[in-house]
Amino acid sequence: MIIDVNFVGLIIASIMASAVPLILASCGELITERSGVLNLGVEGMMIIGAISGFALMTVTGSLIIAVFGAMLAGVLISTIFAFLTQTLITNHVATGLALTIFGIGISAMIGKNFVGIPGKEFPVIFESLKDTIPLLSPILFGHSIVFYFAFALPFITSYFLKKTKIGLIVRAVGDSPEAASNQGINVKLVRYSCILYGGAMCGLAGAYLSMIYTPQWIENMTGGRGWIALALVVFSTWNPIKILIGAMIFGGLTIIQFHMQAIGVRIPVQFLTALPYIVTIIVLVVISRDSRKIRLSTPSSLGKSFYKDN
Amino acid sequence: MHKLFIRSFVSSLVFLFTLTVAAVAKDVKAAFVYIGPTGDHGWTYQHDVGRKAVEAAGFKTTYVEGVPESADAERVLRQLANSGHDVIFTTSFGYMNPTNKVAKEFPNVKFEHATGYKREHPNVATYAARFYEGRAILGTIAGSMTKSNVIGYVASFPIPEVIRGINSFTLAAQKVNPNIKTKIVWAFTWYDPGKEAEAAKALIDQGADIIAQHTDSTAIVQIAEKAGVYAFGQASDMDKFAPKAVLTSVENNWGPYYVERVKAVANGTWNQKDTWHGIGDGMVVISDLDPSIPSNVRSKVKKLQADLASGKVHAFTGPIYDQKGNLMVAEGKTADDGMLAGMMTYVKGVEGDIPK
């Protein structure tokens, strides 16, 4: 088979498109985890975003309402998590798992009336430039606005955490809530905000799936991408730029494998499905050998409840 | 005093008897066990359309969705049999052993198992559809309409049902166009819109100009519409998801069979049998052909459809060779049902190997 540059460009473009929901959800979860909260409800928040976006688009016909509605739905469902873990001080892991189960169930219930309805086409930008530059055009042009936002998000997140005062506060709360609290920071407020922000990004990631990537509603359509997004945060050692790389690798695995199948090269599929998790474990093993690195990258109070007596 | 007691006793007996008779004659209750959610718009969705037909015919129905093919299935079946259901349809291959096991415990309840072959007790029947007949129609259209001579095929799992479909499709396409190649991509899922879309996109990027699918979601036809290539719908008519791309769909039409069998239970004429219906019996339905199909192809398709329905033509008519060139079906012969049921080799013209 002859490999021409445009073909490579097409493959890279489809890998990037498949990475979008992973980047969005991971960057949201990263902020949540950086504030010391472990929310395992990513899959549940994504599926809620997916059905909310699709339902609002079908009912109102407005893509803008649908996209923001999906984010709002993510915020609302994460509010439940925030209330339980921050106000009632429940266990993060158990509450997050419950959130996922709840999200999958309730999305199926709402979704009953939206099965079998074709979605609306989502507008793409710069489409006229699609054939101008070989290799680069399919990568750069003709995508939805959410696509461009997703690829800017890791850089924005990185800047936010490293260079802004609020970013510093978030990290302080995640590393030592006691110290932050003594400095007069309202730990609960910061954590609430970070959880809700994570919910909004997961909602957007879900809406991308049901409105842009494959415009339709089907039960369980997130198909485990929320769990991959969670693994991705660990894989990245809580570094947003590495999320970008990880999402391309994780999203690309399936696409490369399909291309190989079509060419006639066989790789065991079960192995490829497990690969994101295997890679995450390897990364964990590698970083855990260096205790200093762990201390620097992992939010020290991740998953621990904090409450102030007053 | 005694008289009164006896009278009330007798009358209550009569009352109970009428109740029982009424229950037997009229209130036949049917239950359906589904592997997926009814919202999958594919396999389970079509079974549920069939269930609604039973309901419309005046019978009470119950369904349980998302039942795993494990010990859970037995528990669900036992509970349905215990709660007054007269006939239970189990609509996935993996329910085969649970169905037979529970059927032994409830000899008065009828069990209907889809796509299986075990009928260990007189109250177990099996049924399936000859979808490969529909795929022969799709192959004929694909072979006539491809320009690149590369046809993409998104497959789910390497089981005889799927391989039979690929073979039937390829044989029919070769008959009208000996130069075609069928490229297969295994998605290893029945429905995951994202994955299916990625598989279809890979095939399109590699030159396929028509995409067939043996997975359930509508993602593939939507990708085809965006890329400007043709596709075929699966399980239900998918035309509204991709009006330009979808040439036709193969629909699973379980309703008539379900109504017939539930009525048979009500009339007491239900018997054990193995049903394998195709286009002729209306279990496999071909949706309206897209206007973009030229008239000469259209007439070819109509003829094949009529011949498959009447039994004049069999989708697997020899000579058929496997990929290595060994004869599978001799000239003038047709593949028997046993061979079809266990088909695990590709015919000549299919690219690649079957994954293990």
Side-chain angles (χ1 to χ4, degrees), chain B:
Chain B
M1 186 65 196
H2 266 283
K3 223 176 172 181
L4 188 68
F5 176 76
I6 288 166
R7 260 178 69 184
S8 67
F9 181 73
V10 169
S11 66
S12 61
L13 257 189
V14 169
F15 178 66
L16 265 179
F17 181 72
T18 11
L19 256 189
T20 326
V21 170
V24 167
K26 263 189 177 169
D27 289 351
V28 167
K29 265 168 80 184
F32 293 78
V33 182
Y34 301 142
I35 177 77
T38 52
D40 69 354
H41 202 65
W43 178 256
T44 295
Y45 177 80
Q46 287 301 123
H47 282 288
D48 202 51
V49 170
R51 179 190 67 82
K52 284 177 185 150
V54 174
E55 195 115 284
F59 297 98
K60 276 190 186 149
T61 64
T62 317
Y63 68 91
V64 188
E65 53 185 339
V67 178
E69 293 167 327
S70 57
D72 278 342
E74 270 178 46
R75 190 175 49 75
V76 168
L77 285 174
R78 216 166 268 134
Q79 152 122 56
L80 287 170
N82 257 330
S83 54
H85 294 94
D86 308 278
V87 52
I88 300 172
F89 294 89
T90 54
T91 64
S92 184
F93 179 78
Y95 298 144
M96 183 158 67
N97 292 329
T99 302
N100 280 286
K101 198 169 165 192
V102 178
K104 192 184 172 190
E105 299 163 25
F106 296 92
N108 294 323
V109 179
K110 315 292 183 222
F111 290 83
E112 293 260 357
H113 177 229
T115 67
Y117 53 82
K118 275 192 194 165
R119 294 171 296 279
E120 289 171 352
H121 310 285
N123 56 335
V124 181
T126 51
Y127 64 100
R130 296 180 188 269
F131 295 120
Y132 66 86
E133 292 187 349
R135 292 195 185 266
I137 304 267
L138 303 188
T140 308
I141 301 174
S144 316
M145 295 197 58
T146 177
K147 291 199 176 69
S148 66
N149 285 340
V150 179
I151 299 167
Y153 200 114
V154 181
S156 47
F157 291 95
I159 55 171
E161 165 76 32
V162 177
I163 288 160
R164 194 162 60 232
I166 293 170
N167 286 343
S168 170
F169 179 89
T170 307
L171 288 172
Q174 282 170 345
K175 217 160 271 173
V176 291
N177 179 353
N179 300 321
I180 65 108
K181 275 192 253 169
T182 314
K183 273 187 192 243
I184 317 286
V185 163
W186 295 92
F188 279 86
T189 175
W190 283 110
Y191 77 92
D192 177 340
K195 252 193 190 165
E196 291 170 53
E198 284 155 14
K201 199 143 187 313
L203 286 164
I204 294 167
D205 288 347
Q206 296 213 9
D209 63 350
I210 299 184
I211 306 289
Q213 69 181 86
H214 203 144
T215 51
D216 283 341
S217 93
T218 49
I220 291 170
V221 300
Q222 287 178 321
I223 288 289
E225 181 94 353
K226 250 189 239 167
V229 304
Y230 290 124
F232 299 108
Q234 156 92 357
S236 62
D237 187 356
M238 292 184 175
D239 191 59
K240 63 180 170 180
F241 282 87
K244 272 183 257 154
V246 171
L247 293 169
T248 187
S249 308
V250 177
E251 297 175 39
N252 311 356
N253 184 25
W254 305 106
Y257 177 77
Y258 286 164
V259 173
E260 178 202 316
R261 297 299 276 173
V262 176
K263 274 189 180 156
V265 174
N267 302 335
T269 55
W270 189 93
N271 58 336
Q272 178 187 60
K273 61 175 181 175
D274 176 34
T275 305
W276 203 7
H277 280 173
I279 292 179
D281 300 287
M283 201 178 259
V284 177
V285 172
I286 307 294
S287 314
D288 292 340
L289 300 180
D290 193 77
S292 64
I293 300 176
S295 60
N296 61 326
V297 180
R298 210 170 263 274
S299 52
K300 234 185 270 176
V301 166
K302 288 285 168 210
K303 185 168 183 309
L304 178 62
Q305 198 174 334
D307 288 348
L308 284 168
S310 67
K312 200 170 140 196
V313 167
H314 192 283
F316 287 89
T317 304
I320 300 173
Y321 297 93
D322 70 7
Q323 282 178 310
K324 286 185 196 120
N326 304 321
L327 192 69
M328 287 167 79
V329 180
E331 184 152 12
K333 293 261 166 61
T334 58
D336 59 25
D337 283 358
M339 182 180 187
L340 292 177
M343 191 169 273
M344 278 305 276
T345 42
Y346 282 150
V347 296
K348 216 166 118 185
V350 181
E351 287 206 331
D353 311 306
I354 298 171
K356 301 211 164 61

Side-chain angles (χ1 to χ4, degrees), chain A residues 225-247:
Chain A
R225 283 174 187 78
W227 297 111
I228 296 200
L230 269 170
L232 200 51
V233 178
V234 181
F235 168 88
S236 75
T237 56
W238 292 269
N239 176 344
I241 309 298
K242 285 193 198 151
I243 282 186
L244 196 60
I245 301 160

Side-chain angles (χ1 to χ4, degrees), chain A residues 52-81:
Chain A
S52 306
F54 190 84
L56 284 169
M57 181 180 71
T58 313
V59 173
T60 68
S62 159
L63 294 171
I64 296 172
I65 294 180
V67 168
F68 284 100
M71 290 170 74
L72 186 66
V75 168
L76 287 177
I77 186 173
S78 62
T79 310
I80 304 173
F81 177 85

